[in-house]
Amino acid sequence: MVVIMSLIIIFIYIAMWYYVGRNIKKIFQHRKINLKIYWAVFWIMAFAYIISRLVSSILTVNNIVSVIFSFVGAITLSLFIYLLLGFLISDLFRVVFKIIKLNEKYKQKIRSIYGNGLIVLIITAIIVCSGFVVALNPKTTEYKININKAIGNKQSLNIVLVSDVHIGIGVRERGIDKMVDSINKLQPEVVFFAGDVFDESSTTALKEYYSQACKKINSKYGVYAITGNHEYFQNFDESIEYYKKANITVLQDEVVKVNNQFYVVGRKDTASESRTNEKIKSLDILLRNIDRNLPIIVLNHKPEDLKSAENEKVDLQLSGHTHNGQIFPGNIIIKKVFEDPYGYLKKNDFNLVVTSGYGTWGPPIRIGTQGEIVNIKMYGNK
């Protein structure tokens, strides 16, 4: 059954790419092009991202072939998504015009504008370029949250949340430096990385750069991190090593009391179960022996298990993973998957903040969404 499903997915993938490739070829039908070279280059680009994953699994992600194909594949995926949508919409209009028997005069005007699909190519290029610029410029999002507990002798706690950095294709050395500078400008008392800092495209050199850069983070109560799903896909142990090298406390189904003022609970991502063959600990077990009078902050990469968090009197859960869909129409679809895929949710005394993430995965673009660093002012009832 798995083999059959895999073959069906491969067939659909190839069919969609062929549909896009055939429509691009039509744009240049009046120009003399070598079709063998055209299709050879086209199919290399179509499978570039898959090739990069195969190369990195056989060799390492540090291999130059993997790095090149990852970048080329990510760019072509960006173009493919909107070329596919553009050509499908164009063909849909063509069918509608036939059904309603549109006047030939108007058809000619539309054909001249369409230009055998050139307008789709131009619009796609504009969309992808603008999405690339947006992805390079994350914003700072601020929340003010009130909890029904005292935070020691403090009136409030200044929290910075960063998730889904995805160091590699979209975020490299300059992006890492920009992230650290942005964090420090917010003068955080505690900093949380909520998973997927690293992914399949994160080279060892970039992990090393991250670990050195993060040593410059100024935080009164330290920096804490959990792993997301992507850290489990490649070089998990190496990723943990570089978190620790950055002086970041990694929590894997663990609880720490910070300065006798609040608890930080770091949950393992469910992706760990396939790697370790061990079930992640339930929230009630993790919180069994803590002082419930102190604020409880839970780090859970995915915005899930919300009912348990509410039942266990968690004050604040911080999550990422969703990217808020990253690219349109993903930001619409994601709302059907998670109860709260982005932003702030309050249920009685339970508060949830889901970030769209700092970086991107796959296509290094954002359309209809924006990356962010989150600054939360959490006020106690004192």
Side-chain angles (χ1 to χ4, degrees), residues 59-74:
L59 301 173
T60 71
V61 71
N62 301 311
N63 186 282
I64 188 64
V65 176
S66 176
V67 173
I68 291 171
F69 274 93
S70 288
F71 183 77
V72 172

Side-chain angles (χ1 to χ4, degrees), residues 53 56 59-64 66-67 167-169 171-173 176 197-213 234-243 245:
R53 300 279 67 82
S56 62
L59 301 173
T60 71
V61 71
N62 301 311
N63 186 282
I64 188 64
S66 176
V67 173
I167 290 168
I169 295 171
V171 177
R172 301 185 67 80
E173 292 86 351
I176 294 169
V197 167
F198 307 124
D199 66 19
E200 309 90 321
S201 66
S202 305
T203 63
T204 301
L206 283 172
K207 289 179 181 179
E208 173 66 29
Y209 193 92
Y210 166 84
S211 70
Q212 295 303 317
Q234 186 154 347
N235 297 331
F236 176 81
D237 294 332
E238 182 186 78
S239 295
I240 295 297
E241 177 188 334
Y242 280 104
Y243 273 126
K245 200 172 180 180

Side-chain angles (χ1 to χ4, degrees), residues 246-260:
N247 297 328
I248 295 172
T249 302
V250 183
L251 301 175
Q252 295 277 278
D253 275 350
E254 296 170 279
V255 182
V256 293
K257 185 193 286 187
V258 181
N259 201 43
N260 288 317

Side-chain angles (χ1 to χ4, degrees), residues 19 22 46 55 59 64 73 100 119 126 137 150 164-165 172 175 182 211 216 248 256 278-279 293 318 347 360 365 378:
Y19 172 75
R22 190 188 65 183
V55 171
L59 301 173
I64 188 64
I100 65 173
I119 189 67
I126 292 170
N137 294 281
D164 300 274
V165 183
R172 301 185 67 80
S182 297
S211 70
K216 300 173 187 175
I248 295 172
V256 293
E278 294 179 5
K279 295 289 276 185
N293 293 313
L318 304 175
K347 286 187 171 184
T360 58
I365 61 172
M378 186 174 79

Side-chain angles (χ1 to χ4, degrees), residues 209-224:
Y209 193 92
Y210 166 84
S211 70
Q212 295 303 317
C214 283
K215 289 178 181 178
K216 300 173 187 175
I217 293 176
N218 300 316
S219 174
K220 184 176 181 179
Y221 299 124
V223 183
Y224 299 85

Side-chain angles (χ1 to χ4, degrees), residues 15 58 65 73 89 91 93 105 165 229 251 289 308-309:
I58 296 169
V65 176
I89 291 168
D91 284 345
F93 274 116
K105 177 183 173 183
V165 183
N229 53 305
L251 301 175
N289 298 314
S308 293

